[in-house]
């Protein structure tokens, strides 16, 4: 019997000439036990994002912001990648350079699952950088004790989590990489697949339009109706841990 992972193309029907751009959001980590941002049980339902995920909020109360991120670091380190993360690793192994994963997630679970062709456009929960100087970002898994705000050893400024807050620019190199991928593979069978994202946050919410403009077929996998669902060709409602393996033709147990 052929291995479960090798022969099936899945509903997306990805063949050797296809290219696949995937955008993931917090819903993909929900089955790993991490909360999403919006919707029931979402972080922004119980926490004011203006105070916790903005440069102004950090300036006003850095200790409060570090408490929030320290708790989330602990949760992310406890979590394990799920079948959705693993399906994306498997499809990357098959497709090589014809595959790119762009995630809005900061939890690090795609990387821990084994994804390598990966761009983390909203940064990393387990990274720290300086709010004042250009000290290089470092990996930092520390959950700081309540009231602690770590100082920068180079300039004495306040260190902050290496995530992208509202009102902050994404790394232009990341957006260029998305554009280059679409440009490189336009003309062939190009597929854009978004999973577990509400389509509420820009610029990621507009990637579907960039992909369509390059002739991509567009697919959405989400538990509830996303804000931008009407702009996709195909919408599948349900859990990504089940739907991603079946769309991608990957065994759920890999
Ligand atoms: C499941 C599931 C399961 C559950 N299976 N599904 C254009 C128009 C309007 C506004 C703007 C615009 N351009 C920019 C803006 C402003 C702003 C913005 O988008 N605001 C909107 C809210 C209106 N954007 C920005 O500020 C961005 N910056 C920017 O554009 O800069 C421009 C600039 C240029 C030059 C100079 C200066 C500026 C930055 C955005 C940063 C977002 N940051 C956060 C926080 C990261 C750190 C942290 O974690 O604390 O990123 S906010 C939060 O939202 C986080 C996420 O990555 C992001 C997206 O959320 P996501 O992943 O979609 O999660 P949810 O919870 O919304 O949805 C989860 C979905 O999963 C749900 O629909 C569920 O149904 C589903 N689900 N279980 C499948 N098992
Ligand atoms: Zn500094």
């Amino acid at each position: 019997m052929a291995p479960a992972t090798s022969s099936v193309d899945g509903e997306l029907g990805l063949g050797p000439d296809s290219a696949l751009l995937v955008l993931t959001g917090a819903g993909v980590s929900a089955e790993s036990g991490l909360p999403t941002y919006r919707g029931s049980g979402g972080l922004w339902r119980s926490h004011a994002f203006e105070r916790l995920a903005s440069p102004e909020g950090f300036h006003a109360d850095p200790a409060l912001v570090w408490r929030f991120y320290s708790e989330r670091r602990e949760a992310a380190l406890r979590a394990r990648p799920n079948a959705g993360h693993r399906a994306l690793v498997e499809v990357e192994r098959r497709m090589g350079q014809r595959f790119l994963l762009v995630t809005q997630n900061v939890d690090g679970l795609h990387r821990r699952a084994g994804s390598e062709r990966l761009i983390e456009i909203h940064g990393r929960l387990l990274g720290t950088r300086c709010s004042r100087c250009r000290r290089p970002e470092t990996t930092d898994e520390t959950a700081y004790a309540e009231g602690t705000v770590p100082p920068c050893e180079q300039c004495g400024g306040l260190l902050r989590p290496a995530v992208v807050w509202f009102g902050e620019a994404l790394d232009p190199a990341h957006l260029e990489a998305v554009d280059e991928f679409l440009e490189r593979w336009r003309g062939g069978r190009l597929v854009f697949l978004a999973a577990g994202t509400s389509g509420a946050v820009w610029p990621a919410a507009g990637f579907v339009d960039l992909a369509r403009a390059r002739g991509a077929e567009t697919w959405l996998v989400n538990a509830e109706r996303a804000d931008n669902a009407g702009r996709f060709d195909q919408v599948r409602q349900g859990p990504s841990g089940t739907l991603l393996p079946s769309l991608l033709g990957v065994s759920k147990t890999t």
Side-chain angles (χ1 to χ4, degrees):
M1 202 166 79
T5 54
S6 68
S7 54
V8 202
D9 279 343
E11 204 186 339
L12 278 182
L14 297 168
D17 299 327
S18 307
L20 176 65
L21 174 65
V22 181
L23 171 70
T24 60
V28 166
S29 293
E31 288 155 83
S32 295
L34 295 178
T36 61
Y37 296 91
R38 296 159 191 86
S40 56
L43 284 170
W44 299 160
R45 286 286 176 101
S46 50
H47 297 79
F49 66 82
E50 309 84 355
R51 291 175 66 203
L52 298 168
S54 75
E56 297 77 20
F58 182 71
H59 184 71
D61 194 344
L64 176 76
V65 171
W66 265 116
R67 190 175 96 187
F68 174 66
Y69 282 94
S70 292
E71 285 169 6
R72 289 182 55 211
R73 282 181 170 181
E74 287 178 330
L77 287 167
R78 276 195 306 269
R80 297 283 168 265
N82 65 53
H85 297 105
R86 291 193 292 274
L88 292 167
V89 176
E90 178 60 28
V91 83
E92 173 183 334
R93 288 196 180 130
R94 286 190 204 163
M95 297 184 78
Q97 60 180 358
R98 291 174 174 270
F99 175 90
L100 180 64
L101 172 56
V102 180
T103 188
Q104 298 167 87
N105 297 345
V106 297
D107 56 38
L109 288 182
H110 283 302
R111 201 168 290 284
R112 276 170 58 199
S115 289
E116 289 174 3
R117 295 177 189 273
L118 171 69
I119 302 179
E120 295 167 305
I121 52 169
H122 290 167
R124 304 189 302 139
L125 197 53
L126 300 176
T128 293
R129 65 184 175 85
C130 182
S131 62
R132 192 198 283 166
C133 77
R134 291 181 173 273
R135 162 196 181 276
E137 178 183 324
T138 53
T139 295
D140 182 7
E141 299 186 346
T142 314
Y144 292 99
E146 186 156 0
T148 306
V149 178
C152 173
E153 62 282 5
Q154 285 190 11
C155 77
L158 305 182
L159 293 180
R160 54 161 284 181
V163 297
V164 181
W165 283 326
F166 283 114
E168 294 187 315
L170 279 66
D171 184 341
H174 289 168
L175 299 176
E176 274 161 31
V178 170
D179 222 53
E180 273 166 21
F181 183 88
L182 292 170
E183 198 54 42
R184 176 167 186 196
W185 300 111
R186 74 187 296 175
R189 181 158 185 261
L190 182 58
V191 179
F192 173 72
L193 168 63
T197 175
S198 61
V201 174
W202 293 76
F207 286 1
V208 59
D209 303 316
L210 299 180
R212 285 179 77 92
R214 285 352 195 294
E217 224 175 86
T218 55
W219 291 67
L220 172 66
V221 167
N222 213 50
E224 296 151 290
R225 189 177 164 82
D227 290 4
N228 60 356
R231 307 215 295 280
F232 286 80
D233 300 316
Q234 299 283 342
V235 178
R236 297 288 180 274
Q237 194 168 340
S240 52
T242 304
L243 287 177
L244 286 178
S246 89
L247 283 175
L248 298 168
V250 172
S251 157
K252 212 184 155 190
T253 56
T254 49

